[in-house]
PDB file of all heavy atoms in Angstrom:
ATOM      1  N   SER A1596     -83.324   1.994 -40.362  1.00 78.00           N
ATOM      2  CA  SER A1596     -82.474   0.970 -40.769  1.00 78.00           C
ATOM      3  C   SER A1596     -83.346   0.001 -41.635  1.00 78.00           C
ATOM      4  O   SER A1596     -83.398  -1.181 -41.393  1.00 78.00           O
ATOM      5  CB  SER A1596     -82.044   0.265 -39.530  1.00 78.00           C
ATOM      6  OG  SER A1596     -81.084  -0.648 -39.745  1.00 78.00           O
ATOM      7  N   ASN A1597     -83.861   0.571 -42.644  1.00 80.00           N
ATOM      8  CA  ASN A1597     -84.771  -0.152 -43.534  1.00 80.00           C
ATOM      9  C   ASN A1597     -85.946  -0.900 -43.005  1.00 80.00           C
ATOM     10  O   ASN A1597     -86.455  -1.807 -43.615  1.00 80.00           O
ATOM     11  CB  ASN A1597     -83.898  -1.202 -44.380  1.00 80.00           C
ATOM     12  CG  ASN A1597     -82.873  -0.575 -45.309  1.00 80.00           C
ATOM     13  OD1 ASN A1597     -83.248   0.476 -45.843  1.00 80.00           O
ATOM     14  ND2 ASN A1597     -81.674  -1.236 -45.434  1.00 80.00           N
ATOM     15  N   THR A1598     -86.268  -0.567 -41.825  1.00 77.00           N
ATOM     16  CA  THR A1598     -87.423  -1.166 -41.195  1.00 77.00           C
ATOM     17  C   THR A1598     -88.479  -0.133 -40.942  1.00 77.00           C
ATOM     18  O   THR A1598     -88.178   0.900 -40.454  1.00 77.00           O
ATOM     19  CB  THR A1598     -87.052  -1.762 -39.857  1.00 77.00           C
ATOM     20  OG1 THR A1598     -85.943  -2.573 -40.019  1.00 77.00           O
ATOM     21  CG2 THR A1598     -88.171  -2.673 -39.282  1.00 77.00           C
ATOM     22  N   GLU A1599     -89.685  -0.354 -41.265  1.00 81.00           N
ATOM     23  CA  GLU A1599     -90.790   0.578 -41.001  1.00 81.00           C
ATOM     24  C   GLU A1599     -91.236   0.346 -39.497  1.00 81.00           C
ATOM     25  O   GLU A1599     -91.737  -0.748 -39.204  1.00 81.00           O
ATOM     26  CB  GLU A1599     -92.009   0.439 -41.920  1.00 81.00           C
ATOM     27  CG  GLU A1599     -91.884   1.240 -43.138  1.00 81.00           C
ATOM     28  CD  GLU A1599     -93.366   1.521 -43.667  1.00 81.00           C
ATOM     29  OE1 GLU A1599     -94.347   0.903 -43.157  1.00 81.00           O
ATOM     30  OE2 GLU A1599     -93.409   2.449 -44.517  1.00 81.00           O
ATOM     31  N   VAL A1600     -91.003   1.382 -38.729  1.00 82.00           N
ATOM     32  CA  VAL A1600     -91.343   1.208 -37.347  1.00 82.00           C
ATOM     33  C   VAL A1600     -92.625   1.955 -37.034  1.00 82.00           C
ATOM     34  O   VAL A1600     -92.732   3.152 -37.328  1.00 82.00           O
ATOM     35  CB  VAL A1600     -90.119   1.801 -36.428  1.00 82.00           C
ATOM     36  CG1 VAL A1600     -90.499   1.545 -34.976  1.00 82.00           C
ATOM     37  CG2 VAL A1600     -88.819   1.263 -36.891  1.00 82.00           C
ATOM     38  N   ILE A1601     -93.542   1.243 -36.450  1.00 81.00           N
ATOM     39  CA  ILE A1601     -94.810   1.888 -36.187  1.00 81.00           C
ATOM     40  C   ILE A1601     -94.705   2.479 -34.733  1.00 81.00           C
ATOM     41  O   ILE A1601     -94.106   1.858 -33.846  1.00 81.00           O
ATOM     42  CB  ILE A1601     -96.054   0.958 -36.144  1.00 81.00           C
ATOM     43  CG1 ILE A1601     -96.011   0.229 -37.498  1.00 81.00           C
ATOM     44  CG2 ILE A1601     -97.328   1.590 -35.928  1.00 81.00           C
ATOM     45  CD1 ILE A1601     -96.656  -1.133 -37.483  1.00 81.00           C
ATOM     46  N   ASN A1602     -95.308   3.672 -34.494  1.00 84.00           N
ATOM     47  CA  ASN A1602     -95.202   4.234 -33.226  1.00 84.00           C
ATOM     48  C   ASN A1602     -96.562   4.659 -32.684  1.00 84.00           C
ATOM     49  O   ASN A1602     -97.493   4.816 -33.436  1.00 84.00           O
ATOM     50  CB  ASN A1602     -94.294   5.461 -33.305  1.00 84.00           C
ATOM     51  CG  ASN A1602     -93.456   5.600 -32.099  1.00 84.00           C
ATOM     52  OD1 ASN A1602     -93.817   5.207 -31.059  1.00 84.00           O
ATOM     53  ND2 ASN A1602     -92.317   6.048 -32.297  1.00 84.00           N
ATOM     54  N   SER A1603     -96.624   4.988 -31.435  1.00 88.00           N
ATOM     55  CA  SER A1603     -97.878   5.530 -30.979  1.00 88.00           C
ATOM     56  C   SER A1603     -97.388   6.591 -29.979  1.00 88.00           C
ATOM     57  O   SER A1603     -96.283   6.580 -29.437  1.00 88.00           O
ATOM     58  CB  SER A1603     -98.747   4.655 -30.284  1.00 88.00           C
ATOM     59  OG  SER A1603     -98.350   4.406 -28.893  1.00 88.00           O
ATOM     60  N   VAL A1604     -98.200   7.634 -29.732  1.00 93.00           N
ATOM     61  CA  VAL A1604     -97.866   8.788 -28.960  1.00 93.00           C
ATOM     62  C   VAL A1604     -98.950   9.193 -28.081  1.00 93.00           C
ATOM     63  O   VAL A1604    -100.102   9.053 -28.406  1.00 93.00           O
ATOM     64  CB  VAL A1604     -97.315   9.831 -29.849  1.00 93.00           C
ATOM     65  CG1 VAL A1604     -98.313  10.323 -30.790  1.00 93.00           C
ATOM     66  CG2 VAL A1604     -96.725  10.999 -29.117  1.00 93.00           C
ATOM     67  N   ASN A1605     -98.508   9.637 -26.847  1.00 95.00           N
ATOM     68  CA  ASN A1605     -99.499  10.222 -25.927  1.00 95.00           C
ATOM     69  C   ASN A1605     -99.088  11.520 -25.417  1.00 95.00           C
ATOM     70  O   ASN A1605     -97.868  11.649 -25.095  1.00 95.00           O
ATOM     71  CB  ASN A1605     -99.892   9.281 -24.853  1.00 95.00           C
ATOM     72  CG  ASN A1605    -100.781   8.217 -25.277  1.00 95.00           C
ATOM     73  OD1 ASN A1605    -100.379   7.021 -25.296  1.00 95.00           O
ATOM     74  ND2 ASN A1605    -102.042   8.531 -25.575  1.00 95.00           N
ATOM     75  N   ILE A1606     -99.888  12.496 -25.311  1.00 96.00           N
ATOM     76  CA  ILE A1606     -99.387  13.900 -24.937  1.00 96.00           C
ATOM     77  C   ILE A1606    -100.209  14.447 -23.734  1.00 96.00           C
ATOM     78  O   ILE A1606    -101.470  14.248 -23.729  1.00 96.00           O
ATOM     79  CB  ILE A1606     -99.680  14.845 -26.191  1.00 96.00           C
ATOM     80  CG1 ILE A1606     -98.674  14.364 -27.294  1.00 96.00           C
ATOM     81  CG2 ILE A1606     -99.352  16.240 -25.776  1.00 96.00           C
ATOM     82  CD1 ILE A1606     -98.869  15.186 -28.550  1.00 96.00           C
ATOM     83  N   GLY A1607     -99.479  15.001 -22.812  1.00 95.00           N
ATOM     84  CA  GLY A1607    -100.126  15.758 -21.701  1.00 95.00           C
ATOM     85  C   GLY A1607     -99.769  17.150 -21.697  1.00 95.00           C
ATOM     86  O   GLY A1607     -98.631  17.526 -22.041  1.00 95.00           O
ATOM     87  N   ILE A1608    -100.710  18.060 -21.426  1.00 93.00           N
ATOM     88  CA  ILE A1608    -100.498  19.501 -21.564  1.00 93.00           C
ATOM     89  C   ILE A1608    -100.932  20.262 -20.236  1.00 93.00           C
ATOM     90  O   ILE A1608    -102.004  20.042 -19.816  1.00 93.00           O
ATOM     91  CB  ILE A1608    -101.270  20.102 -22.685  1.00 93.00           C
ATOM     92  CG1 ILE A1608    -101.122  19.303 -24.111  1.00 93.00           C
ATOM     93  CG2 ILE A1608    -100.914  21.531 -22.979  1.00 93.00           C
ATOM     94  CD1 ILE A1608    -102.024  19.604 -25.145  1.00 93.00           C
ATOM     95  N   SER A1609     -99.906  21.046 -19.807  1.00 92.00           N
ATOM     96  CA  SER A1609    -100.370  21.943 -18.723  1.00 92.00           C
ATOM     97  C   SER A1609    -100.102  23.394 -19.140  1.00 92.00           C
ATOM     98  O   SER A1609     -99.214  23.591 -19.992  1.00 92.00           O
ATOM     99  CB  SER A1609     -99.664  21.674 -17.373  1.00 92.00           C
ATOM    100  OG  SER A1609     -98.298  21.957 -17.501  1.00 92.00           O
TER     101      SER A1609
END
Side-chain angles (χ1 to χ4, degrees):
S1596 191
N1597 291 332
T1598 312
E1599 264 209 352
V1600 184
I1601 306 156
N1602 219 325
S1603 84
V1604 61
N1605 284 108
I1606 294 178
I1608 307 165
S1609 66

